[in-house]
Amino acid sequence: MATSLLRDSNLFPSAYLRMIMGPFRSWGLRSTGATTSTVDSLTAGLDLEMLGKSKWRFIKQVKPAIEAGLVSEGTINDRARAVLQFLKKAGKFDDRRVDVPETAQNLPEHQDLIRQAGAEGIVLLTNGGGVLPLATGKYKKAALLGPLAKYAAAHGGGSASLNCHYKVSPFDTFSSRLGVDVHVTYSKEAHLFRVYPDMEEGCKNSKGNPGFTAQYWKHSAFEGELFNTNNVPRGSFTTLMDTAVEGKLGVRWQSYKIRIDTIPSPEPNGELYLLDGQIAARLGFISREEIELDMLSKATELAKEVNVAIQQRTLLPSFVNTTGVAVTTPWLDNVPAFLQAWYAGQEFGSAIFDVLFGEVNPSGKLPILWPKEYEHTAVYRNFSMDNYESRQVEYVEVVFVGYRHFDRMWGAEKEVRWPFGFGLSYTTFQVTNAIAQGSSEDPNQNGLVVTADVMNNGPVAGAEVIQVYIPPPSFGVEDHPVGGLVGFGRINLGAGEKSSVSSVSMGVNVQHAAYWHIESRKWKVEAGEYRLWLSTSSSPADKKAELSITVSKELYINP
C-alpha cells in the first residue's frame, strides 16, 4: 500500500517506485479514492485509478493534457500497456468463458480448513512460566472477559468484511467444549464501539423477518412506482457498489414505525468522490441501562471468583488480542500469557480454544513488527491525523519501511517489543548444520539453496519457520536497509524428530541483494562478500547461523 501511494507524485517516479517494490513491479494502482491528479499521476507511473468509475482519467481531462504537451502519447501507451499485460497474465485474453455465478457452499471440509487456518495464524507472544496450554478437566469456573468474548471477530471492516455462513464466539466454544461440569461466565468489561452499534435486535422488515426493508425510487420526492426492494439485516445500509439500484434518487428504509427517507447529497464529496450520488443511512442504538453499567468493576469481581480468567479484547492467565494491527501494551507485565489472534474467521472461538488448550500448538509468526510505542514508528507525526490540516504527507521512511526501519534500532530505546517473523511455540527447536549451495552469479535464477537441520527438542509436535535474511556488505551504501527477508521455510516436526529444511526449497536470488542505482537507473548488486542469516525472526537475538557467499563482480539488472 505504501508503495502504491507514491505513484501519484512526480517526486516519486516509476524508477524510484521499482526500487521499493523489487520483484513486484509489473504495474501500479492506488487505494480507493486516493488519486488526486491527472498529469502527475500519469507521469509518475499510475496505471490504474481505483475504485469504480474514474475521476481523473476521462478523455476530457487527458486529451487537453496531451495537446498541451503535459503528457506524452508514449506515457499513455505505457499506462495502457501495463493494464493489458496484467490482464494477459491473468488469462483474460485466453479464457473468454462467461464468469461462473458466485455461490455459497458451507461444507464440513471448508469449516475444518477455516478452523485450522485460524488456529495456525494465532501468534503466541508471551507464555510466562509455561502457563499455557491450559488443561481441560482442571477448572470448575472459567470467566471470559472482554467485548469480543461473546462476539466472533471473524473479519475486518470495509473491503475486509463479508457475510459468514455462521460465526462461533469464544463463549460459544468454551460453553460447549468444557462441558457441563465447568461454569463458564462472562463480562463485557468495556464498550468497544466508537459510535452506537447498529440497531438490530427486535427489528423486523416488511416480511416479518429480522432487519429492515429498503425501497428505491428514481425520484427524489418518492413519487411514482418504486423500482427495487431489498432487505438488510441491521440498522445500516449503503448503495455503494450495488449495481441493482443504479439510477436511484430516493430510498425509504424502515422497520416497525421507524422510517427514514434519504436522498443523495447535492454537494459533491471532494475528498472521496466514490461516494458522489450514493445513498446511505445508519441507525445506532444502545439502552441507557447498558451505557451506564459499571462493567469494569463487574469484570474485576468476576475474575476473583473463578479458577481461570480469559481476557478477550478488541482469557487472566491469558490475554487474547483481536486486532489487525499492533497495539501498545503498558499492562504486559501483569499478563502471564499474551496471544495475537487477528481476525480468525467464522471458527474464531474454536481456533482460540484449540490454541489455549493445546489441541493446536501455536506456530504463527508476526507478519509485522510490534513497536513499544506509536512514537517510535517511522511515520510518527507524518501520518493520519498528524497531517489533517495540511493534507500533505511526507514519506519519511524512504526505503526503511516496516521492519527495515526498526532494524536500525536494536539495542536502542526504540527497539521493538517483538520483531518481524517472531512467534513462540509450546515446544523448542534447534537449528544446526546450515549450508548454502549453488551459484550467486546468475541474477535470473534462484541459484543459491540454503539448507539446515532442525530438531524438535520438546515433548509435543510443532512447526517452525526458518527465515533467511541478507544484510548488505559492510562497504555498501548508507541508505540501504540493514537486511531483508529473502526466503523462508516452514517445517512440521513430531516430538524429537529431525528434518531437513531443504524439503521446503529456500532458494535465494542474488537480486535480493540489489539496490536501486540512481545514476544508471538500474538495480545494482555490489561485488564482494555477503552474509546470510538463518533466523527465527528479524532480531539479531534470534539468529541461528551465519553463512557467507561471494559475488565476484558487480551486477546491473534492468528494471
Side-chain angles (χ1 to χ4, degrees):
M1 182 63 71
T3 55
S4 65
L5 294 178
L6 300 177
R7 300 202 70 158
D8 195 35
S9 169
N10 279 328
L11 297 175
F12 297 96
S14 299
Y16 184 81
L17 177 70
R18 293 188 182 103
M19 176 179 69
I20 302 287
M21 297 182 70
F24 306 101
R25 55 182 183 267
S26 57
W27 72 322
L29 68 159
R30 291 206 60 175
S31 181
T32 300
T35 305
T36 58
S37 67
T38 299
V39 174
D40 286 348
S41 66
L42 286 167
T43 304
L46 181 68
D47 300 315
L48 181 64
E49 180 184 355
M50 296 287 284
L51 176 71
K53 295 180 179 179
S54 174
K55 180 179 181 179
W56 300 96
R57 301 292 178 95
F58 283 117
I59 189 68
K60 66 180 182 180
Q61 296 157 318
V62 177
K63 186 177 179 181
I66 296 175
E67 292 173 345
L70 300 176
V71 178
S72 70
E73 291 188 13
T75 296
I76 302 300
N77 290 337
D78 289 342
R79 302 290 81 77
R81 185 182 298 109
V83 176
L84 294 173
Q85 287 174 338
F86 178 80
L87 292 173
K88 187 176 187 304
K89 289 179 180 179
K92 294 300 181 181
F93 296 145
D94 302 321
D95 187 354
R96 306 307 297 267
R97 294 175 297 178
V98 177
D99 290 340
V100 178
E102 183 177 333
T103 59
Q105 296 180 318
N106 184 21
L107 303 177
E109 54 267 36
H110 294 172
Q111 298 172 13
D112 292 343
L113 180 60
I114 292 169
R115 177 172 167 181
Q116 177 187 351
E120 290 187 357
I122 292 175
V123 184
L124 178 62
L125 295 172
T126 64
N127 191 18
V131 65
L132 296 180
L134 302 173
T136 56
K138 181 179 179 180
Y139 310 107
K140 294 300 181 182
K141 292 183 178 180
L144 305 187
L145 312 177
L148 297 182
K150 273 193 172 182
Y151 177 84
H155 51 75
S159 300
S161 63
L162 69 157
N163 294 320
C164 299
H165 296 289
Y166 62 89
K167 295 180 182 180
V168 180
S169 74
F171 187 84
D172 295 332
T173 306
F174 276 69
S175 299
S176 63
R177 293 174 63 181
L178 287 180
V180 296
D181 294 332
V182 180
H183 180 52
V184 180
T185 57
Y186 157 77
S187 177
K188 189 174 182 179
E189 194 177 52
H191 294 302
L192 190 65
F193 49 77
R194 297 178 181 175
V195 296
Y196 286 167
D198 290 349
M199 192 172 185
E200 183 174 1
E201 186 175 354
C203 295
K204 292 185 179 180
N205 59 31
S206 59
K207 294 184 177 181
N209 297 320
F212 291 72
T213 296
Q215 300 173 313
Y216 299 81
W217 277 264
K218 292 188 176 182
H219 196 286
S220 60
F222 300 90
E223 298 175 349
E225 294 185 2
L226 57 92
F227 75 96
N228 190 282
T229 299
N230 59 32
N231 298 298
V232 294
R234 59 188 66 86
S236 62
F237 89 98
T238 178
T239 59
L240 184 65
M241 307 298 289
D242 188 351
T243 57
V245 295
E246 290 287 345
K248 74 284 179 185
L249 288 176
V251 180
R252 177 165 293 159
W253 185 63
Q254 57 190 350
S255 179
Y256 288 124
K257 297 181 179 180
I258 300 172
R259 190 182 93 180
I260 299 175
D261 288 356
T262 179
I263 62 176
S265 170
E267 299 295 329
N269 190 315
E271 292 191 346
L272 195 57
Y273 64 88
L274 188 65
L275 300 179
D276 289 349
Q278 301 299 333
I279 303 175
R282 184 180 181 280
L283 185 62
F285 174 82
I286 187 171
S287 68
R288 180 175 180 179
E289 179 184 10
E290 183 176 357
I291 201 68
E292 294 180 350
L293 184 65
D294 185 359
M295 292 180 288
L296 184 59
S297 296
K298 180 181 178 181
T300 302
E301 292 302 315
L302 187 61
K304 295 177 181 178
E305 299 173 1
V306 299
N307 303 115
V308 57
I310 310 296
Q311 192 169 37
Q312 171 65 48
R313 182 175 179 229
T314 339
L315 287 162
L316 273 143
S318 53
F319 185 106
V320 180
N321 189 62
T322 303
T323 62
V325 297
V327 297
T328 54
T329 55
W331 36 258
L332 187 64
D333 291 341
N334 299 319
V335 179
F338 179 44
L339 300 93
Q340 175 65 20
W342 315 105
Y343 300 116
Q346 62 192 44
E347 288 283 348
F348 175 78
S350 300
I352 291 174
F353 186 97
D354 288 344
V355 171
L356 286 173
F357 285 89
E359 296 187 20
V360 171
N361 190 351
S363 60
K365 300 291 184 177
L366 286 179
I368 59 174
L369 50 80
W370 202 295
K372 296 174 183 175
E373 305 290 345
Y374 169 60
E375 290 81 2
H376 294 173
T377 63
V379 297
Y380 179 58
R381 297 189 184 278
N382 288 279
F383 182 70
S384 188
M385 297 304 292
D386 298 327
N387 305 81
Y388 183 80
E389 295 296 333
S390 68
R391 295 295 199 270
Q392 298 293 319
V393 176
E394 181 182 357
Y395 287 93
V396 295
E397 305 127 291
V398 196
V399 297
F400 299 101
V401 177
Y403 72 88
R404 295 173 177 85
H405 165 70
F406 284 98
D407 275 352
R408 302 178 294 174
M409 306 298 174
W410 298 116
E413 177 189 2
K414 295 182 180 181
E415 179 176 320
V416 296
R417 191 172 298 283
W418 295 294
F420 171 83
F422 178 82
L424 299 175
S425 171
Y426 295 152
T427 188
T428 58
F429 301 92
Q430 182 180 5
V431 181
T432 59
N433 301 327
I435 58 173
Q437 296 176 308
S439 171
S440 59
E441 302 298 323
D442 189 349
N444 298 314
Q445 297 182 10
N446 288 340
L448 285 172
V449 177
V450 179
T451 64
D453 293 331
V454 181
M455 175 73 76
N456 180 353
N457 294 324
V460 296
E464 181 61 289
V465 178
I466 307 301
Q467 303 157 40
V468 181
Y469 295 85
I470 183 166
S474 58
F475 51 80
V477 292
E478 293 182 1
D479 60 351
H480 200 68
V482 174
L485 178 70
V486 297
F488 63 91
R490 175 186 166 98
I491 313 126
N492 295 286
L493 297 170
E497 184 178 327
K498 186 176 181 181
S499 178
S500 174
V501 180
S502 60
S503 60
V504 292
S505 292
M506 290 196 299
V508 177
N509 192 312
V510 70
Q511 286 195 57
H512 293 137
Y515 66 94
W516 185 252
H517 190 245
I518 297 176
E519 289 77 12
S520 67
R521 300 183 65 83
K522 295 181 178 181
W523 291 91
K524 181 180 180 180
V525 179
E526 298 278 3
E529 185 177 5
Y530 288 79
R531 295 165 295 154
L532 291 177
W533 291 354
L534 265 70
S535 183
T536 52
S537 83
S538 63
S539 170
D542 291 327
K543 182 171 64 174
K544 306 302 179 184
E546 183 174 316
L547 306 173
S548 175
I549 62 171
T550 300
V551 177
S552 60
K553 60 181 180 180
E554 61 183 28
L555 302 172
Y556 289 90
I557 305 165
N558 290 321

